[in-house]
């Protein structure tokens, strides 16, 4: 796979920030905003697995054909392009071989298939390689399931973002409604719980809190409050890094 990512701003070498957590915890919203505040590059790794799922669907490949899917992913071109919305909010557009698939990657169909696809080892290998390459210089915020544990085990800031399953299902139901896909609360809740279970129990790179991650439970917290918390962790990490360098 060739992954191109267009930087929103030029970044100086700086911290690596890993944000992991279960489905619907609000990772992508807060990761995108924190990256904007810091002038960092934001990498939505879930969007990469979702783009790979769209690719498999387009090619008519079933999840029982892991080698064919891995081959297709290795040869695909995925672009993540940062744009600014009319209201000044940061947007991330996703292109597959030049076609804008930003809307499609969030469909329910893709949400149901992405988790089985992401258990395919060679697919993970090629995506993780791209994620590490883009993070080499620091000044990055990555969100996903395995960032603090596998992709960037040396990240200076690790956050494990979570919320009760009911809260996450409520948020996800709203997202589907906005898209015009009406699904009952019970169905969304069941699908979220199933996806979390599959993500946490898979053999390769399961979803789990890194030992050195800060856990943030976001029930009842606003997006701004969560972003501020992450920025606080970053200030501490920077101060820690400065004093460590002074000691050398
Ligand atoms: O936004 P949401 O939390 O629903 O999910 P996402 O971040 O878009 O990720 C979709 C799926 O991709 C997850 O349920 C995982 O199965 C997979 N994924 C993964 O395996 N590793 C990552 N680093 C990111 C996502």
């Amino acid at each position: 796979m060739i992954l191109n990512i267009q930087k929103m701003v030029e970044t100086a070498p700086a911290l690596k920030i890993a944000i992991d957590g279960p489905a619907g915890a609000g990772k992508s919203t807060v990761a995108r905003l924190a990256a904007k505040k810091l002038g960092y590059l934001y990498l939505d790794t879930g969007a990469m697995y979702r783009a790979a799922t769209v690719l498999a669907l387009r090619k008519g490949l079933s999840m029982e054909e892991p080698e064919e899917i891995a081959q297709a992913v290795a040869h695909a071109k995925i672009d993540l392009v940062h744009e600014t919305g009319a209201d000044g909010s940061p947007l991330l557009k996703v292109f597959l071989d030049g076609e804008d698939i930003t809307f499609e990657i969030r469909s329910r169909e893709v949400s149901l298939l992405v988790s089985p696809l992401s258990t395919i080892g060679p697919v993970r290998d090629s995506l993780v390689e791209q994620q590490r390459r883009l993070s080499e210089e620091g000044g990055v915020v990555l969100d996903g399931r395995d960032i603090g544990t596998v992709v960037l085990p040396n990240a200076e800031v690790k956050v494990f973002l979570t919320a009760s399953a009911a809260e996450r299902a409520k948020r996800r139901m709203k997202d589907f409604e906005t898209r015009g896909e009406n699904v009952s609360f019970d169905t969304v809740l069941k699908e979220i719980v199933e996806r979390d279970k599959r993500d946490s129990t898979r053999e390769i790179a399961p979803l789990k809190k890194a030992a050195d991650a800060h856990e943030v439970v976001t029930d009842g917290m606003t997006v701004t409050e969560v972003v501020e918390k992450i920025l606080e962790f970053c200030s501490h990490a920077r101060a820690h890094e400065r004093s460590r360098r002074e000691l050398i």
Side-chain angles (χ1 to χ4, degrees), residues 66-174:
E67 276 134 44
E68 289 79 356
I69 294 178
Q71 273 291 322
V73 170
H75 292 104
K77 181 172 176 291
I78 295 177
D79 293 305
L80 303 183
V81 178
H82 288 284
E83 289 185 4
T84 305
D87 58 355
S89 60
L91 291 176
L92 184 72
K93 291 217 159 182
V94 182
F95 294 82
L96 173 63
D97 294 325
E99 188 194 340
D100 186 348
I101 56 162
T102 312
F103 187 76
E104 197 174 341
I105 60 166
R106 306 282 162 204
S107 71
R108 227 179 115 227
E109 186 185 23
V110 172
S111 298
L112 290 172
L113 288 174
V114 61
S115 186
L117 174 133
S118 62
T119 62
I120 304 173
V123 168
R124 298 201 73 81
D125 292 343
S126 70
L127 298 186
V128 168
E129 187 191 320
Q130 303 288 332
Q131 292 157 14
R132 288 194 181 133
R133 182 177 60 78
L134 291 161
S135 306
E136 260 167 19
E137 291 173 21
V140 288
V141 182
L142 271 68
D143 79 329
R145 302 291 186 287
D146 57 343
I147 310 303
T149 50
V150 173
V151 182
L152 303 175
N154 298 326
E156 290 85 0
V157 178
K158 295 183 187 176
V159 181
F160 193 79
L161 210 62
T162 184
S164 63
E167 175 76 28
R168 294 186 286 115
K170 228 191 292 165
R171 292 178 191 162
R172 200 36 56 97
M173 202 172 78
K174 256 198 218 150

